[in-house]
Amino acid sequence: MTTSTIDITYVCLPLSSNDGRSIYDKRLTEALNELGIRVNTLELAHPCRRFIPIWGKKWQKMQVEYVKKTSQKSKFTIVSHELLADFSRTLKPDLFIIHNLFSHFSFKSRPDIQLFYRCGSSHLFNSVAASSQRLLFLSERERAIASETWPDLPIYASPPGIPQKENLPLNYNATSIKTLGSNDWLPKRASKLSRSDHKYLKNAKLEVISDNFGNPSPAIIEDKFLSGFKLKLMEHLYNGDTIASFSDLSSEIDWINPHYSRFKHVNSINEAISFFNKTEASIGATNEDRITKSRLDLTSRFAWKEVARNIASKLDH
């Protein structure tokens, strides 16, 4: 089956926000269209509940029936995001994209936030698994967990894509430190660097910036929880940054780019600064060649069009 013979109804939350979920859906549907796949995108507004369980809100029957009727015009149906779990029972989608497996959401330093997102989620994900033809995860850790939980279901993992950027600088900038991502989500706000952390960075003569792409430089993934890192991790890897992360993403990096040596799981800002200083001292004349080769390799496998092609190929298997 060629991509030009595919047409898809893609059910998602609104694309108008700037969070990771919205960016993922926008870029994936654009890439599917670029492959010649006809994509009918259905955006559905869903106000998030502010109390436990956050998964308790149900969609109106009229909304569900409208999506069902519309999806019948396409050969395949994709539902993207766990807040749309209600639609899996009605649509029995060919593919359900789970952005975060909240039944295994881990935030060890904030058990209250961990409970907030886990509460009631196991039932939700079991329902999605029971009524979907396939599951896709954006994390290898979550795919492995899901494969053990639902061994008879086709389950895949594919990271978000990377934007293809031309003529990015290659020379290392040791005086800037990147912190990417929005703070709209509670776990992210709870993970932000403190005033004292910023003071340590200032004393180390590191200027905090939020430039996604530019010179390779030190970078901190502030998240202290295992979710929400996917887009920023791909951008840091593509850019060739030296990455210090407050959550252990070693297994994810081994999956995406097993030869990437400039990553360290840290527990404090001082540990991160020490890692940056050690890495800077080891940078040699071959650094720019290494970054060039790494970018070419990542682009060949994880440009958005390649991610879309990979996902489309799963629909008929």
Side-chain angles (χ1 to χ4, degrees):
M1 181 181 67
T2 62
T3 55
S4 60
T5 64
I6 302 176
D7 61 287
I8 294 170
T9 293
Y10 192 96
V11 186
C12 61
L13 297 167
L15 301 178
S16 55
S17 67
N18 290 318
D19 60 5
R21 188 275 315 158
S22 178
I23 292 170
Y24 177 89
D25 287 331
K26 281 189 286 190
R27 291 180 177 169
L28 178 57
T29 51
E30 287 169 357
L32 288 167
N33 277 308
E34 289 174 10
L35 290 174
I37 296 171
R38 295 185 295 277
V39 182
N40 178 25
T41 305
L42 295 181
E43 301 176 50
L44 302 171
H46 186 288
C48 186
R49 287 161 62 104
R50 302 293 181 185
F51 49 88
I52 292 179
I54 62 170
W55 312 108
K57 183 174 176 61
K58 300 297 182 183
W59 292 84
Q60 295 179 4
K61 184 177 180 180
M62 182 174 63
Q63 289 176 302
V64 176
E65 289 301 318
Y66 168 74
V67 172
K68 179 180 180 181
K69 183 177 179 180
T70 304
S71 69
Q72 289 172 344
K73 300 173 184 176
S74 300
K75 184 171 184 178
F76 298 107
T77 300
I78 295 176
V79 178
S80 178
H81 204 276
E82 42 280 5
L83 281 174
L84 297 166
D86 271 3
F87 291 92
S88 66
R89 289 187 288 272
T90 302
L91 300 179
K92 299 189 173 8
D94 299 281
L95 182 69
F96 198 109
I97 301 174
I98 294 177
H99 289 239
N100 298 291
L101 186 61
F102 282 109
S103 56
H104 291 74
F105 177 76
S106 178
F107 198 152
K108 293 180 180 178
S109 63
R110 288 295 302 269
D112 55 332
I113 294 178
Q114 180 173 295
L115 174 63
F116 182 76
Y117 286 99
R118 281 195 182 192
C119 184
S121 63
S122 292
H123 173 75
L124 173 126
F125 289 111
N126 284 331
S127 173
V128 168
S131 52
S132 301
Q133 305 303 308
R134 304 161 188 81
L135 299 181
L136 177 76
F137 291 86
L138 314 186
S139 155
E140 172 60 16
R141 166 186 168 268
E142 293 182 349
R143 183 212 60 79
I145 292 169
S147 293
E148 289 187 4
T149 307
W150 306 294
D152 298 327
L153 186 64
I155 295 174
Y156 309 102
S158 178
I162 48 173
Q164 293 172 264
K165 300 289 183 179
E166 301 294 333
N167 302 317
L168 284 176
L170 292 166
N171 52 308
Y172 194 77
N173 177 7
T175 63
S176 295
I177 181 166
K178 296 173 186 169
T179 58
L180 303 182
S182 66
N183 298 318
D184 296 339
W185 195 26
L186 172 62
K188 290 183 180 292
R189 292 196 297 274
S191 297
K192 290 297 291 180
L193 295 176
S194 66
R195 289 185 179 180
S196 60
D197 289 336
H198 280 279
K199 185 177 180 180
Y200 281 121
L201 292 173
K202 185 176 180 179
N203 290 340
K205 301 190 184 323
L206 287 168
E207 178 190 6
V208 179
I209 62 173
S210 57
D211 229 358
N212 293 42
F213 296 102
N215 297 76
S217 71
I220 287 183
I221 294 180
E222 300 167 275
D223 304 345
K224 296 180 176 69
F225 57 97
L226 282 173
S227 284
F229 59 84
K230 291 104 174 175
L231 281 167
K232 69 181 77 171
L233 177 61
M234 295 301 290
E235 292 176 358
H236 286 313
L237 292 174
Y238 180 74
N239 207 57
D241 296 328
T242 300
I243 309 165
S245 172
F246 287 109
S247 53
D248 189 358
L249 306 180
S250 303
S251 61
E252 300 296 330
I253 292 177
D254 287 344
W255 169 52
I256 296 165
N257 192 347
H259 304 296
Y260 203 90
S261 60
R262 291 182 180 166
F263 168 84
K264 184 175 178 62
H265 173 216
V266 299
N267 295 302
S268 70
I269 198 68
N270 285 334
E271 189 179 352
I273 292 171
S274 176
F275 172 57
F276 296 146
N277 290 337
K278 181 179 178 181
T279 302
E280 181 187 355
S282 70
I283 290 174
T286 60
N287 186 55
E288 294 184 6
D289 287 342
R290 176 189 63 81
I291 293 173
T292 298
K293 290 177 182 177
S294 178
R295 286 176 180 171
L296 288 171
D297 173 63
L298 287 171
T299 299
S300 69
R301 294 183 294 133
F302 301 121
W304 274 105
K305 190 176 284 189
E306 295 307 313
V307 170
R309 197 190 314 276
N310 179 42
I311 289 173
S313 70
K314 302 290 191 289
L315 293 175
D316 241 9
H317 291 82

